[in-house]
Amino acid sequence: MSAFSLRFDFDELTIAILGRNDNGLLLYGAAELSGDHEGFSVEAIHLAEGTVLRAAGNAEFGRPSTFADELFRRIAAVIENDKTVLGRHAAMEWAEHVERHSEAA
């Protein structure tokens, strides 16, 4: 099974806080997606001003950072969910990317 990767740029990504999306927090950046024909997951998130978030170990020397780790999980959840606007967009870009590279092979 082939592995693929894709950079997915996002802007105005909103995460839910206490179950509400109207909190005014908008995030900008790009996500590194990786996966196969079945789908993708978010491997890393690059925020617009240079901060890089990973699934775990976001503190100094790869130690856990509760806030940064949770922020990664919440952003990834939006991008990986095809029921959100950004998630649908990411899924469409992923499908096109996989199709394009599968045809070239």
Side-chain angles (χ1 to χ4, degrees):
M1 190 172 291
S2 298
F4 301 98
S5 63
L6 172 71
R7 177 185 168 105
F8 173 70
D9 294 317
F10 61 84
D11 59 359
E12 298 188 2
L13 184 144
T14 303
I15 58 171
I17 297 177
L18 299 177
R20 297 177 55 152
N21 284 326
D22 60 352
N23 53 54
L25 176 66
L26 299 176
L27 299 164
Y28 300 82
E32 292 177 25
L33 309 181
S34 67
D36 55 25
H37 290 87
E38 301 298 318
F40 67 87
S41 62
V42 176
E43 296 298 315
I45 296 167
H46 301 263
L47 297 177
E49 297 299 319
T51 299
V52 178
L53 300 172
R54 301 203 182 282
N58 287 292
E60 190 174 336
F61 303 114
R63 291 187 304 238
S65 170
T66 304
F67 176 77
D69 293 349
E70 180 65 20
L71 184 58
F72 174 90
R73 281 190 290 278
R74 288 180 182 235
I75 294 170
V78 171
I79 295 169
E80 293 171 349
N81 182 352
D82 64 2
K83 291 179 177 40
T84 68
V85 172
L86 281 174
R88 281 190 298 275
H89 187 70
M92 285 183 358
E93 282 192 30
W94 182 259
E96 290 171 5
H97 179 74
V98 169
E99 183 178 333
R100 191 170 45 251
H101 283 82
S102 295
E103 289 173 355

